[in-house]
Amino acid sequence: MTTKSKLLLVVTIMLLALTAATIVNTSLNFREYSINSAVEKSQMAANIVKDGLTAHMVNGIMDKRQYFLDKIATSNNIKSLWIARGENVISQYGEGLNTESVRDAIDNEVLRTGESVQKITENARNTTLRVTIPYKASTPVDNTNCISCHNVKRGDTLGIISMEFDISDMRESGMITILKILGINLIFIVVVLMLINYFVTPYMNLFTNMQDGIKKAYSGDFTHEFASKVGGDAKNVVSQMNSLFRKMQETFGDIKHNLATFIPQGSSSSKNDPLHEAKTIISELSDIYKFKKTIELDGSKDEVYGRIIDILKLKYHVGHFAFFEVNNVTAERKLIHSTEEKTICFEKTNKNALNCRAFRTSSVTISTEFPNLCKACVATDINYVCIPFNINHDISLTVSMTSDKIEEVDLMKKNIPSIKHYLEAAKPVIESQILMEKLKDTSLRDGMTGLYNRRFLEEVIDKIMSQASRNKDTYAVMMLDVDFFKMVNDTYGHDVGDKVIVALAKVLKSSIRESDLAIRYGGEEFVIMLHNANDEGMMSIAKKIHSEFGNLSFDVGNGEPLRKTISIGIAKFPTDGDTIWKCIKYADTALYEAKETGRNKIVEFRAAMHKSGDDF
């Protein structure tokens, strides 16, 4: 919708609202006036009836009262008029005429309460006002001494006077008046809109023309020619704008286009004037070049991630953020770094990153754009900006920045393109590091079982020891061995032996946690390292492995399935040994004890098993 259309629409709505308000106010006032007029008329008629009935009573001509009432109704345009006696009058003078009985609940209510009642009845054709007024006993003070003739007290209700007025003509007059007001207002609206359209259109055309030129200027194109039919100051402005744009095109027109070719594809620079953009792009190119040359010499993917984290902290001054690595194949998400103890996402998001809106849609997610935008976010009192970035088919990254200040969120939004520049520069280096990790991981895993091998243990044991010392971690170390395994190979061949090894590896994988380690130590020997496991948990896992493997059967081709057992030795770090290598040795000693004492059992290391000279 154009600006002119919006202006005309707003004016129309305002005028229509004013018209509606006028009509509603007039209708209410007219209705109130009609009802008040009819009520006043009823009060006057009631007073006439009261005075007339009193005169009839004083003069002893009460038998002529119906004629009097009919005349009152006719002369005052009353649709219907009747009276009814109260109980006191009935008990003293009888029921009266047939027309003087109580006709409905309203008559009863007025006789009971002594209060007047008004009721309006409307339908499609008629509007009727019903008024019922009490006739109360008075004394000489009121110029009429009712008590002298009636056995009542002052203020008692002697009877009621009911009248019905047809006020339909007032409603019709009101409708005609309202239609006249509506017609006059509609004519006024049409005239006003025509005048606005006539005088505003040239300025709107100039405004549109200037918008087109400014849009081109944002993209570095200053070739636009401004034109307008408006004279005076507007004409001078058009001339000055054309002169300014010609000079800017000569000086800056091609700068942005030439420099933008150096920006990584898929990212867009901020929309500022070409000179400012040139400065920003050149500065950013310099910083990105330094960043890329630095990370190319880093020794691991984790170091590159550390550089990205430093960029977020030092360059963009992001105070609160979390940095994730996502496995695109399994949708598992791993937290690389967080400035907070807990992230803003539900825990389930780490197991299934598809719960993360940014990862699922591959688009930047900004909480200020829509309430409760990401359903995986547990925080309700802070805003967030989540940037997804795909590295390759296997890995992608997510940066989740948070703040409770709107101005900080606006700054984050402004920095999104620049942050993507750094991620784009890091992409080939991270891909190379991932490939190197895959090659290294292949050399550290057993090809048959997929478990880590002894070389892996030798490379990471020092790191595990250092981390355990810092965090006061404990490990339960198990050494497992298949009982009489050599007999399997000798009797049934190495193919069956391999099946036994693979089956045991599967049992180990399914029995331990993600934080635990399962290692094929050599041949039929395996090492399990349970992280921070208590004695009860340690024995529970050992028994589970022992039981599940013992229940397996292997087809050896002679019709009788083969069943095997394992022996397990256990040592605890740092309870049994001050190094993990010692605990592996002590677990092997406990395993030897299990084999020497009958096999197919679980044995915990005891100090009595230790032999002098075994320390290392």
Side-chain angles (χ1 to χ4, degrees):
M1 183 180 290
T2 62
T3 303
K4 183 177 75 173
S5 299
K6 291 180 180 178
L7 176 62
L8 293 176
L9 179 61
V10 170
V11 172
T12 301
I13 292 174
M14 292 178 65
L15 292 175
L16 287 175
L18 179 60
T19 300
T22 302
I23 290 174
V24 170
N25 184 58
T26 302
S27 301
L28 294 176
N29 289 338
F30 197 90
R31 175 185 173 87
E32 185 178 0
Y33 170 76
S34 300
I35 294 172
N36 289 339
S37 297
V39 171
E40 290 178 3
K41 186 176 180 180
S42 69
Q43 292 286 354
M44 292 174 61
N47 289 332
I48 293 172
V49 171
K50 289 180 182 180
D51 294 340
L53 289 176
T54 302
H56 277 62
M57 184 179 295
V58 171
N59 295 318
I61 55 174
M62 282 297 288
D63 57 329
K64 307 294 185 182
R65 61 183 180 274
Q66 187 59 49
Y67 174 79
F68 167 72
L69 294 174
D70 292 339
K71 284 295 184 181
I72 292 295
T74 302
S75 61
N76 288 276
N77 294 321
I78 299 175
K79 181 179 179 182
S80 177
L81 185 149
W82 70 92
I83 62 176
R85 294 183 175 186
E87 292 182 359
N88 292 329
V89 176
I90 292 174
S91 63
Q92 186 175 359
Y93 293 104
E95 295 287 344
L97 302 177
N98 293 333
T99 59
E100 296 176 349
S101 60
V102 173
R103 298 188 181 183
D104 55 23
I106 295 178
D107 288 348
N108 280 323
E109 181 182 351
V110 175
L111 284 171
R112 179 176 55 82
T113 63
E115 300 292 334
S116 299
V117 172
Q118 302 170 13
K119 181 181 179 182
I120 297 177
T121 304
E122 292 185 279
N123 54 40
R125 295 183 179 181
N126 300 309
T127 302
T128 302
L129 172 65
R130 162 73 179 278
V131 180
T132 300
I133 301 172
Y135 191 171
K136 296 185 177 181
S138 58
T139 62
V141 178
D142 304 314
N143 298 322
T144 303
N145 191 357
C146 297
I147 298 175
S148 63
C149 298
H150 296 279
N151 297 326
V152 294
K153 295 181 292 184
R154 183 176 180 270
D156 287 349
T157 301
L158 300 176
I160 53 94
I161 304 168
S162 290
M163 290 165 279
E164 290 183 344
F165 297 87
D166 187 353
I167 58 174
S168 301
D169 56 338
M170 296 181 182
R171 185 176 67 176
E172 293 174 358
S173 299
M175 290 297 296
I176 293 172
T177 302
I178 290 171
L179 289 174
K180 289 179 180 179
I181 294 173
L182 178 61
I184 293 171
N185 276 271
L186 290 177
I187 293 173
F188 176 75
I189 290 173
V190 171
V191 172
V192 169
L193 292 178
M194 291 176 63
L195 290 174
I196 291 176
N197 184 64
Y198 177 78
F199 288 106
V200 170
T201 296
Y203 289 94
M204 290 296 101
N205 291 337
L206 173 60
F207 180 70
T208 302
N209 185 264
M210 294 182 71
Q211 276 188 319
D212 294 339
I214 293 172
K215 287 180 180 178
K216 291 181 180 179
Y218 270 126
S219 61
D221 181 5
F222 297 93
T223 59
H224 184 79
E225 285 289 332
F226 298 96
S228 175
K229 296 180 181 180
V230 182
D233 292 339
K235 186 175 181 179
N236 293 333
V237 170
V238 168
S239 177
Q240 292 171 1
M241 290 290 290
N242 283 328
S243 176
L244 176 64
F245 268 48
R246 281 193 293 270
K247 291 180 180 179
M248 294 183 72
Q249 176 63 26
E250 293 173 0
T251 308
F252 308 122
D254 296 328
I255 291 179
K256 177 188 173 183
H257 174 73
N258 294 333
L259 288 177
T261 58
F262 296 97
I263 293 298
Q265 189 175 5
S267 301
S268 59
S269 57
S270 58
K271 295 183 178 180
N272 297 307
D273 64 87
L275 183 60
H276 179 76
E277 284 193 81
K279 178 182 177 181
T280 301
I281 292 173
I282 291 172
S283 176
E284 188 160 314
L285 284 172
S286 175
D287 290 343
I288 291 175
Y289 177 78
K290 296 175 184 176
F291 171 76
K292 190 170 184 179
K293 297 304 290 184
T294 300
I295 63 176
E296 284 176 351
L297 300 178
D298 285 338
S300 68
K301 180 183 65 177
D302 289 339
E303 287 188 50
V304 178
Y305 287 164
R307 305 286 185 191
I308 296 174
I309 292 167
D310 288 340
I311 290 293
L312 293 172
K313 289 181 178 179
L314 304 177
K315 180 178 176 66
Y316 298 106
H317 306 290
V318 182
H320 308 280
F321 69 93
F323 184 58
F324 299 95
E325 179 186 82
V326 185
N327 188 315
N328 294 336
V329 179
T330 64
E332 291 181 333
R333 191 175 74 171
K334 181 174 69 173
L335 178 64
I336 303 300
H337 177 82
S338 177
T339 57
E340 312 298 321
E341 184 177 348
K342 292 183 179 180
T343 65
I344 63 171
C345 302
F346 284 108
E347 184 64 28
K348 65 180 181 180
T349 309
N350 292 333
K351 297 180 180 179
N352 184 5
L354 291 173
N355 290 314
C356 171
R357 182 181 180 87
F359 172 75
R360 185 180 70 254
T361 61
S362 298
S363 60
V364 177
T365 300
I366 304 173
S367 62
T368 55
E369 293 181 346
F370 197 84
N372 300 320
L373 184 59
C374 182
K375 300 302 181 182
C377 180
V378 70
T380 57
D381 56 344
I382 59 174
N383 293 306
Y384 50 85
V385 176
C386 297
I387 306 174
F389 190 84
N390 190 63
I391 299 298
N392 57 22
H393 174 74
D394 298 323
I395 296 296
S396 63
L397 307 176
T398 302
V399 178
S400 176
M401 302 177 289
T402 60
S403 177
D404 56 358
K405 299 178 181 178
I406 294 297
E407 57 270 19
E408 290 185 0
V409 175
D410 292 338
L411 181 60
M412 293 175 189
K413 290 161 63 175
K414 181 180 178 181
N415 289 331
I416 289 173
S418 183
I419 293 173
K420 285 186 174 181
H421 293 170
Y422 281 92
L423 295 175
E424 191 70 43
K427 180 177 179 178
V429 179
I430 294 174
E431 283 186 291
S432 175
Q433 294 290 356
I434 290 173
L435 178 60
M436 293 299 295
E437 285 185 0
K438 284 184 177 180
L439 294 174
K440 184 177 181 180
D441 187 66
T442 301
S443 68
L444 298 178
R445 287 189 181 272
D446 175 56
M448 181 189 300
T449 63
L451 299 179
Y452 287 115
N453 55 26
R454 184 167 182 167
R455 179 183 173 187
F456 167 82
L457 184 60
E458 291 171 347
E459 289 196 7
V460 303
I461 197 70
D462 291 336
K463 181 178 179 180
I464 292 175
M465 279 290 302
S466 176
Q467 185 176 1
S469 298
R470 288 196 309 270
N471 301 333
K472 307 299 181 183
D473 291 338
T474 64
Y475 281 92
V477 181
M478 299 182 187
M479 180 73 78
L480 298 82
D481 188 287
V482 179
D483 296 328
F484 300 111
F485 181 73
K486 185 175 183 301
M487 185 184 300
V488 176
N489 285 334
D490 294 343
T491 305
Y492 304 106
H494 287 279
D495 290 343
V496 175
D498 291 345
K499 289 182 180 180
V500 173
I501 295 299
V502 171
L504 178 55
K506 289 181 179 179
V507 171
L508 299 182
K509 289 178 184 178
S510 64
S511 300
I512 63 175
R513 303 162 299 176
E514 187 176 346
S515 59
D516 302 329
L517 286 174
I519 301 163
R520 187 179 183 187
Y521 199 64
E524 72 277 18
E525 286 186 324
F526 294 83
V527 170
I528 301 294
M529 294 176 59
L530 303 179
H531 183 234
N532 287 338
N534 56 30
D535 290 351
E536 182 180 353
M538 172 189 72
M539 289 305 299
S540 175
I541 292 175
K543 290 177 181 179
K544 180 181 179 183
I545 294 171
H546 183 270
S547 173
E548 289 189 6
F549 181 76
N551 291 331
L552 297 178
S553 62
F554 303 93
D555 183 9
V556 295
N558 60 3
E560 293 184 5
L562 172 66
R563 293 182 181 275
K564 295 301 295 178
T565 60
I566 57 174
S567 298
I568 303 176
I570 303 175
K572 291 177 287 187
F573 169 83
T575 305
D576 295 326
D578 57 359
T579 69
I580 292 181
W581 278 123
K582 283 185 179 181
C583 289
I584 292 175
K585 176 64 177 177
Y586 294 156
D588 187 51
T589 300
L591 174 63
Y592 179 80
E593 178 74 13
K595 288 184 173 294
E596 287 295 310
T597 56
R599 291 183 170 83
N600 190 24
K601 60 173 64 175
I602 303 170
V603 175
E604 288 190 66
F605 176 78
R606 300 185 306 276
M609 298 178 186
H610 177 68
K611 298 178 180 178
S612 59
D614 284 347
D615 290 334
F616 53 95

